[in-house]
Amino acid sequence: MGVSPVANSGFWRGKRVLVTGHTGFKGSWLTLWLARMGAQVTGVALKAESQSLFVAADIKALCQDITLDIRDLNAVKNAVRQAEPDIVFHLAAQALVRESYRQPVDTSSTNIVGTVNVLEALRGCPSVKSVLCITTDKVYHNREWPWPYRESDALGGHDIYSASKAACELMVSAYRSSFFAEKGISLVTARAGNVIGGGDWSADRLIPDAIRAWSHGDTVDIRRPDAVRPWQHVLDCLNGYLIYAEHLSHRQDCPQSLNFGPDAAGMATVREVISIASGIFDGARCRFHEQPEGPHEAGLLMLDPSLARQSLGVHNHWRLEQTLNRTMLWYKRYYAGESARALCEADIAELEAAWRP
């Protein structure tokens, strides 16, 4: 298979990059990495949660930070004019399945109308050359079958979150054919599996829920232990996004959508993942609920990342066990008093060291 390439700092040095959703988990890691490579980053998002990587690692100091709601078209247009970006990563979203059951209108308006607003603002921006809209592995019409989904498979969504992100894919396609293609602007979507890494404190996510419980000496309740997901380290995922953008700058034949996720070895049940994690975190306790209450969530979801491997040469550097070890060590060291920024920098340096051109 060979060693996968890592984002090229020479490409990113001096690039003007707009990141929507930079206060979120993936957005914070991405902003830090871009700044480390010398990019001029502008971030637009809602105000960060008080317990977040954005706050813990002082990501605000690394970028031009603009607080706005992407459902406000004029605010988005003003931010785009201010940033004059070369490249855009659109991550801003309501990204939690269970929250979409509680707030279906807010989820739909943020994910669909917010994406349209970003695209509408960008089509009037003369500097922009490429746009990556980040969706999810949940955009596929999930048949609960034992085969991983490919980019050509049908889109759909049982829950509001999944349907709203599938709708984003359709809007991106429409904006590409209606406006962006004729301007020579690359507009693509990236669909990623579940990401794990230090600094995630989001609600209703497996590792953050476990860390919250274990750091207080409590037992974590696992609601769907036999659900299967594609798990990967956040940096492996972001590396795929960055290399995708690099290729868009000089290639006309890049796929319009790509899956980013692990190979078959990274597909694992919630039970398997939490069992490995609990073995690393001292005093960790779990309680499994075999027949959980609550709204529907997919039981079996797998991605086929072969097209990204064939077209970009990328695949994940870290196996599931390495990903979990690295993640749990990040939290243990953070709670022992180490700097969140330094811990993130160390993980990035480790990934960069995995490949040398």
Side-chain angles (χ1 to χ4, degrees), residues 4 50 73 78 123 174 208 320 322 357:
S4 175
S50 57
L73 177 58
N78 288 336
R123 78 180 181 101
L320 179 59
Q322 293 172 301

Side-chain angles (χ1 to χ4, degrees), residues 31 113 272:
T31 300
V113 176
E272 290 168 330

